[in-house]
Amino acid sequence: MKRDRKKETKKIPRQVRWDKLDNTAHLFPSIAGENMTNVYRIGVTLREEIRKDCLQQALDMVLPKFDGFNLRMRTGVFWYYFEENGKKAPRVTEESMFPCRFIRQNRNHNYLFRVTYYKCRINLEVFHVLTDGMGGINFLRELTYQYLRLVHPELGEKTGDSLSIDTSMSREDSFVRNYKKSKPSGFNKEKAYLIHGDKLPAGEFGVMHGQMPVSELKKVAHRYGVSLNEYLVSVFVWSVYTELLHGMPGGRPIRVAVPVNLRPYFDSDTTKNFFVMISAEFRPTKPSYDFEEVVALIKESLRSQLNKEHLEDLFSYSVSNQMNKLMRPVPLFIKNLAMRLVYEKSAVANTTTITNIGSIKIDEKYQPYIENFHAFIAMSKGQYLKGTVCSYQDTLVFTFSSVFAEALVQKAFFRKIADDGVEVKIETNGVYYE
C-alpha cells in the first residue's frame, strides 16, 4: 500500500544585501555626534503647499527603488558597513526643530536620512556617510517628481511611477576604482584664521539665504575675470578680511575649503560620496588690499589645484591608508581613535567651507511646479559659519549656516554683492532678522 507523501518545500531565507562604505564615508561615523552631526540639507520650494499624506506616500514608493538610501549602518569588528534596511520608510513630519540635527538610527526606523516639510518646502536631510550632495539631489528630485505625480495625476500619464532616465543608480566606489598608488598627501595642515564670536544658545542654528539672479552674477564675475564660484569665494574672503580683520595684516591665512565634485573628472555617475577638498587661500601680509587683488589671489589659488592629477593625488593618499594591509586587521575602535586624531589636526586648517552643488536640472514637465532649491551644511570643529551654493534656472541661492549670534560676515557678504550691482533677496529662519 502506497503512502501519499506531501512535498516538502524548504523556505530559503532572503539574502540581506550589504555594502561597504566609500573611502570618505569611513570618517563620518567616527566623528559624528550631537555637536558635529555631519548632516546636510537640500530643500525644494514648490509653488503650492505640501500635502503631508502625499509626501509620505511618495517616500514610501520611492525609497525601495534606491539601494543607496534603503540602508542602515552596522558596526563590524574592523569597519562600519551598510546593510539593507527594509523597514517602513521614516515618518514624514512637519518641521518644528532647528535643521541638521544628529540622526539617531534607532529613532528613525534605522534610516540615515529624514524628510520634513514646511508650507511649500520639502526638506531632505542626509547623514553624509550615505552620499554627498549629488546623491542627495538624485533622491530629492525623484521624491519631488513622485509627490507631484500623486498630487497632479496627469503628470504620470505617460511615465507612470518609474524613475527618470537621468537618475543614476550606480553604487560604485569611484575612489577605489580611480586610486593610484604611491601618491603623497596634498592636504594643508597649517592652522588657518578661525572666526570667533558669541554663539547662539545650545541647539539653535542660524540660516540665511540670499537669492540672486544667475545672469547678473555671471556678468559681475566676468567683469573680474573669474568664474562664478571663484567670485563667491572671493567675496567671502573679502568679507572676513574687511569685517573681522578690518583690512589689517593677519598672522594666519584666511583659507576656504572648497569641495570638488570628482564625477566629471573621472567619468563617474556614482551615488556614493565622490568629492575631494581643495583650499582657496589668502594671506593678508601687506598693509592693505583692494578687492581686485583678493580676487586675483583666490583665482590663482583655486586654479592651481583644479587639475585631474592633483585631485587624484588628494584622494589616492586617503585611499592608500584604507587599502593598507597592515591597517585591515586593526580593530575599529582603534581606527576610530586614529581618524579622530587626524581630523582634529586637519579640521582647523580651514576658516570655513563653501560648497557649490551646482545647477539643479529638472524635467520640463515638472518645472512649472518648482520655485527654487537651497542647501546648507552642519557645523564642524573650528568652522561655525559655512556657505552652500545651488541654483535652479536663473536663481542662485547662497545659504549661510551658522551658530554665531551675530551675522557680521553674512551681511558684509551680501552687501558687497549688492554693491557690485546684483539684486539680492534675503530670507532667514528667524534667528537673524535682516
Side-chain angles (χ1 to χ4, degrees), residues 241 247-249 285-290 293:
Y241 171 61
M248 302 290 287
T285 53
K286 10 183 255 193
S288 65
Y289 292 80
D290 59 29
E293 289 178 291

Side-chain angles (χ1 to χ4, degrees), residues 213-405:
V214 174
S215 51
E216 290 183 16
L217 280 167
K218 284 184 175 178
K219 287 178 184 176
V220 172
H222 180 72
R223 198 164 73 223
Y224 288 111
V226 293
S227 70
L228 195 154
N229 205 48
E230 290 166 344
Y231 170 72
L232 293 172
V233 173
S234 298
V235 174
F236 178 88
V237 170
W238 176 254
S239 301
V240 173
Y241 171 61
T242 56
E243 196 68 29
L244 302 183
L245 295 181
H246 308 292
M248 302 290 287
R252 296 190 184 279
I254 301 170
R255 194 178 293 122
V256 179
V258 178
V260 177
N261 174 21
L262 295 171
R263 293 169 181 82
Y265 292 90
F266 296 93
D267 191 26
S268 169
D269 63 352
T270 183
T271 57
K272 290 190 175 186
N273 288 293
F274 194 40
F275 69 96
V276 74
M277 295 283 196
I278 62 173
S279 293
E281 182 175 294
F282 168 62
R283 290 179 180 272
T285 53
K286 10 183 255 193
S288 65
Y289 292 80
D290 59 29
F291 182 64
E292 287 76 7
E293 289 178 291
V294 172
V295 170
L297 290 167
I298 295 301
K299 173 183 175 181
E300 180 185 3
S301 179
L302 286 174
R303 293 195 182 183
S304 66
Q305 301 170 72
L306 270 178
N307 60 79
K308 185 175 180 180
E309 292 73 21
H310 179 67
L311 299 174
E312 188 178 80
D313 288 349
L314 291 176
F315 72 78
S316 289
Y317 174 75
S318 299
V319 175
S320 67
N321 293 325
Q322 174 191 340
M323 299 185 73
N324 188 328
K325 291 182 179 180
L326 297 176
M327 285 289 293
R328 291 180 187 177
V330 175
L332 180 59
F333 76 93
I334 296 178
K335 287 186 177 116
N336 281 341
L337 286 172
M339 283 190 281
R340 279 196 290 267
L341 287 172
V342 171
Y343 175 77
E344 292 282 330
K345 291 182 179 179
S346 62
V348 293
N350 291 291
T351 307
T352 191
T353 298
I354 295 180
T355 180
N356 189 340
I357 62 176
S359 178
I360 298 175
K361 308 298 181 186
I362 294 295
D363 287 353
E364 188 175 356
K365 67 178 180 179
Y366 301 104
Q367 291 177 11
Y369 301 91
I370 296 174
E371 187 172 316
N372 61 46
F373 287 82
H374 69 266
F376 52 89
I377 50 182
M379 303 300 97
S380 57
K381 182 178 174 63
Q383 297 184 35
Y384 303 112
L385 170 66
K386 295 187 178 184
T388 308
V389 187
C390 71
S391 58
Y392 170 64
Q393 295 182 339
D394 193 45
T395 300
L396 180 144
V397 181
F398 190 108
T399 302
F400 281 106
S401 48
S402 174
V403 291
F404 287 123

